[in-house]
Amino acid sequence: MNRFIPKQAYIRIFLSLCILFTVVSVPFVYMMTHQFSIYAMKQIDQVNETEIAHSRDNAEFIFNKMIAYGFNMYADKSISTWLMASEESQGTQVDAIVAANKYMTTEPFLDNVYLINMRTEHTIDLKYGLSSFQQFRDQPMLEMAKQKRSSYQRFFVHQVNGTTKLAMIIPTVPSGQQSFGYLVLLLNDALMKQYLLKGDANSEIQSFILDNEGNLMLGASDSTQLNMELAATAVKGSGSYTKDHKGESWSVQYALIEPQGWYIYHMAKLEGIRADFISFRLKMIIFVSCLVVVLIAILFWNSRRTYKPFSQLADQLEMKFGLHLKNNQKDDSSMAEYKVIRYGIEMLEDRMGQLDSSMREHRNVIKTEYLRQWILQGKLITPVEHYLREQSSLFEHEELYVSVIRINEFSRFKEQYNFASRKLMKYAIGNIAEEVINRSWYAESVDLGGDHLALLISGNHVPMNELTGVLEEAREQIRQWTQIHITAAVSGQKSLSDDVRSIYQHIHELTMLNFISGAEKIFIERDFEDYMQRVQPLADDNLLDELIKKVRMGRPEEIAASLDLIFAHMQTMHYTQSKFQLSLMLYTLFKTFNKLPSVESVEGIENILESFDKLSGVRGWLEQELLGIIDDMSSKKGASRRDEVVTEIVEYVKNHLHDPMLTIEEISGHLSLSTRHVRQLFKEVFDKTLSDYILQERIVKVKELLVSTDWTVTDIGERSGFQTKSHFFTVFKKATGMTPSQYREKQ
């Protein structure tokens, strides 16, 4: 038996490893692919469940949205007037068509809209216009409208010229009563399929919607019998199961669509998935086989040279360290090589010790990095804490104070110095601060990048007034030696076990008070609370709109007062909130007037803000910009009469806002001008229609009354000029996203 065993050690090792790899790799591949297939199927089921739930939610949202949209349409005054008219009038026809087309253009899911007047026996088809009942192109729909229905808030399948569409009929009166007019919505079948469904009847993935009797409502299905079976097995809610269809296995996912009572189905062919798993397993076997072959080749080459590398290593160590041990040994060569290697490793260990000593000389770099980790992570991990306790005096005291030094006008600082110079300047700032503070306590500075440094200060019973005084001295020293102006803030007494990151973030935010208030001081934690108590936030959230109105009307004497109110409001915010509000306000002004004299594009807004170090500077600059816009507008208009007319319109609207019969015709009569001219003048000045302005002012009036009075919601709607409660609720929710009662509760 021994004669079949190779004498060479590397061949024996090679054959043993070949057997080991073969025995291990094949079961491993099978087990891995099997587990992967189980995991993949679970993931597919989870994805399908998520997709079906998402599709169901989309369907419910779209159907409910279209129902609400239909109610909004027939609640429109122009449409309802035509639907209830007892005789045809060209004026009401045109108004109804215009109003309906307005709704059509804003809702992509609408394919067509019918308006049916049972009294005049006329219909309006938005695609084909006005026609009598005899000429109406969709007679089946006309017959359905004449029939009484148990519920009108449900969609049904309707065929128009051989094309299937989802439709809904809305009467002008509640269900069960005689109606003289109907609004019919026809949905865009292609868009609904694209948005809600995937796949088709011939693909491996099918998606469709059935009612509870198995009738196809949306999508494509290749079998009516399948639809009936699916509907019969569906239960309330949602579910999934496997079904055989045409000799193939399918994974079925379904969910109930409320309130229609329909079910949305997703079907995926399992054979394709299983075939993919088999293909994956085959590819994995091939891949692992190739990998095994490569590894075997490598092992063969490596095992053949197993002993030679040891000899080479011994020779190299002897040459490196001048060893003569090998030549003096009387043992066999293998033992001599072992001793040489051992002695060489010991020499390497000594060299590593020397290297470690060299690294200790660079402990300041390591210490700074560990301090940075402490600040950014918030808590000390055990190895870092042990190292810092050995290398830093911070831990000799139990009290910790966190300070942040922020460089003012950092954008200018970056332009003045390159990256390397900035690092040196920040290093100098940190050294100056450490030197001043170390006279009384102990401090470590850490450069965290950006426009600031952090200072960790430790001491026992440090009076806050003395600490701020030392920091004030450090600020003056930094300004004197580096010509750099800084803003500093410091925390109160903290513990070494506190979350340093949250403290640092709060103190960094505190330095931004310099931008908001303009105060030149060392900020402490109570400064922000004191400042907030002194400045009361404004309740009015329409200050920007008022400012735009004053600019458009050319009232330079009122610009400063409006800006004072807006910037007083911004002074109550955190720095980041204030910066965001400034960017948003400048963007709005730029877009409204299509310019700002000093800003060439929207992208330049951020650069403008970066150039200011205080909020007061932004306010002064913005006042000059707005005055420049007024001068430019005045030179271009040259027609003060238009402004007078528009001002009179605004005053008249505010004085008659409570009147539900306030119309543009009434305003035109008061001004002795044509309705068209009034509309045009108002549009030119305010860039919005007079009707939209009246509605906007009424919503503002409602908000004021909801907050300042305890009147009922109905009374407030009537006092604000809304004719009906339903119209009031619809308009208010569309404008605010809340009902009046919800708005009152949130204030």
Side-chain angles (χ1 to χ4, degrees), residues 485-501:
H485 294 269
I486 66 165
T487 298
V490 65
S491 71
Q493 177 183 330
K494 307 297 179 182
S495 171
L496 294 171
S497 60
D498 289 342
D499 186 351
V500 178
R501 178 176 180 175

Side-chain angles (χ1 to χ4, degrees), residues 25-37 281 285:
S25 61
V26 174
F28 170 77
V29 170
Y30 181 83
M31 180 185 67
M32 184 180 66
T33 54
H34 178 69
Q35 291 297 323
F36 175 79
S37 64
R281 177 177 295 173
I285 292 175

Side-chain angles (χ1 to χ4, degrees), residues 301-317:
W301 173 81
N302 188 60
S303 62
R304 186 176 63 87
R305 302 183 60 184
T306 299
Y307 291 103
K308 185 176 180 180
F310 281 102
S311 301
Q312 292 177 338
L313 177 60
D315 293 337
Q316 291 175 357
L317 289 173

Side-chain angles (χ1 to χ4, degrees), residues 24-185:
V24 171
S25 61
V26 174
F28 170 77
V29 170
Y30 181 83
M31 180 185 67
M32 184 180 66
T33 54
H34 178 69
Q35 291 297 323
F36 175 79
S37 64
I38 295 174
Y39 172 80
M41 288 301 297
K42 289 181 179 179
Q43 292 299 311
I44 290 172
D45 289 340
Q46 291 178 1
V47 170
N48 288 337
E49 290 175 3
T50 302
E51 287 185 354
I52 197 71
H54 181 66
S55 299
R56 176 200 61 202
D57 294 340
N58 286 344
E60 291 179 353
F61 171 79
I62 291 174
F63 290 139
N64 291 333
K65 174 186 175 185
M66 297 312 302
I67 291 172
Y69 205 79
F71 288 156
N72 287 337
M73 285 184 66
Y74 85 74
D76 188 277
K77 183 177 180 180
S78 299
I79 295 175
S80 60
T81 299
W82 185 87
L83 289 174
M84 299 298 293
S86 57
E87 60 182 12
E88 288 297 312
S89 166
Q90 185 175 2
T92 58
Q93 292 171 2
V94 172
D95 290 343
I97 292 174
V98 170
N101 274 315
K102 179 184 69 174
Y103 286 98
M104 273 283 292
T105 56
T106 58
E107 180 48 63
F109 289 102
L110 276 180
D111 183 67
N112 201 0
V113 174
Y114 300 156
L115 304 179
I116 302 175
N117 190 322
M118 306 302 290
R119 288 179 172 176
T120 63
E121 296 189 346
H122 279 77
T123 64
I124 293 177
D125 182 341
L126 290 188
K127 286 188 175 180
Y128 295 89
L130 180 71
S131 63
S132 63
F133 277 11
Q134 293 80 9
Q135 298 172 338
F136 186 45
R137 57 189 291 272
D138 194 352
Q139 291 295 324
M141 179 59 75
L142 191 59
E143 293 299 323
M144 293 182 68
K146 293 178 180 180
Q147 298 174 5
K148 291 185 177 180
R149 304 175 68 85
S150 59
S151 174
Y152 284 91
Q153 297 185 25
R154 292 184 179 274
F155 288 91
F156 57 88
V157 177
H158 179 64
Q159 295 236 338
V160 181
N161 297 330
T163 302
T164 301
K165 298 180 181 297
L166 287 177
M168 183 178 70
I169 299 176
I170 303 176
T172 56
V173 297
S175 177
Q177 301 180 20
Q178 182 180 6
S179 179
F180 297 102
Y182 295 91
L183 172 69
V184 180
L185 304 180

Side-chain angles (χ1 to χ4, degrees), residues 228-403:
M228 300 295 290
E229 293 174 0
L230 293 175
T233 55
V235 296
K236 293 294 183 181
S238 60
S240 62
Y241 56 92
T242 302
K243 182 176 181 58
D244 292 329
H245 175 58
K246 294 183 179 180
E248 297 176 330
S249 295
W250 294 76
S251 174
V252 180
Q253 304 276 343
Y254 68 92
L256 178 64
I257 302 175
E258 295 288 359
Q260 301 299 319
W262 301 345
Y263 285 89
I264 183 169
Y265 292 86
H266 284 177
M267 295 179 59
K269 191 180 295 185
L270 294 177
E271 278 72 12
I273 299 175
R274 290 169 181 165
D276 291 339
F277 289 154
I278 295 174
S279 175
F280 173 77
R281 177 177 295 173
L282 179 60
K283 291 178 181 178
M284 283 297 299
I285 292 175
I286 295 174
F287 173 79
V288 172
S289 299
C290 295
L291 181 61
V292 168
V293 171
V294 173
L295 290 176
I296 288 174
I298 294 173
L299 288 171
F300 175 78
W301 173 81
N302 188 60
S303 62
R304 186 176 63 87
R305 302 183 60 184
T306 299
Y307 291 103
K308 185 176 180 180
F310 281 102
S311 301
Q312 292 177 338
L313 177 60
D315 293 337
Q316 291 175 357
L317 289 173
E318 187 177 24
M319 293 175 60
K320 182 71 176 177
F321 300 114
L323 302 179
H324 302 284
L325 179 61
K326 179 179 178 181
N327 296 331
N328 297 330
Q329 292 295 325
K330 298 181 180 180
D331 301 332
D332 59 72
S333 59
S334 61
M335 289 300 297
E337 291 176 351
Y338 164 75
K339 292 180 178 180
V340 170
I341 293 173
R342 186 182 66 178
Y343 186 75
I345 292 175
E346 291 174 354
M347 292 291 293
L348 287 174
E349 185 179 2
D350 292 337
R351 292 288 180 89
M352 290 298 297
Q354 296 173 7
L355 181 61
D356 182 65
S357 299
S358 176
M359 290 182 63
R360 290 180 182 275
E361 296 177 359
H362 299 83
R363 60 180 177 273
N364 287 333
V365 177
I366 302 173
K367 179 181 67 174
T368 302
E369 181 59 31
Y370 280 170
L371 289 172
R372 184 181 294 109
Q373 292 181 21
W374 182 17
I375 295 174
L376 296 180
Q377 295 175 1
K379 296 290 184 179
L380 281 170
I381 60 176
T382 303
V384 173
E385 182 177 0
H386 287 167
Y387 183 86
L388 290 178
R389 285 187 179 276
E390 294 176 358
Q391 302 297 330
S392 175
S393 300
L394 282 174
F395 295 86
E396 294 178 0
H397 310 282
E398 294 300 324
E399 297 178 5
L400 179 69
Y401 300 83
V402 179
S403 177

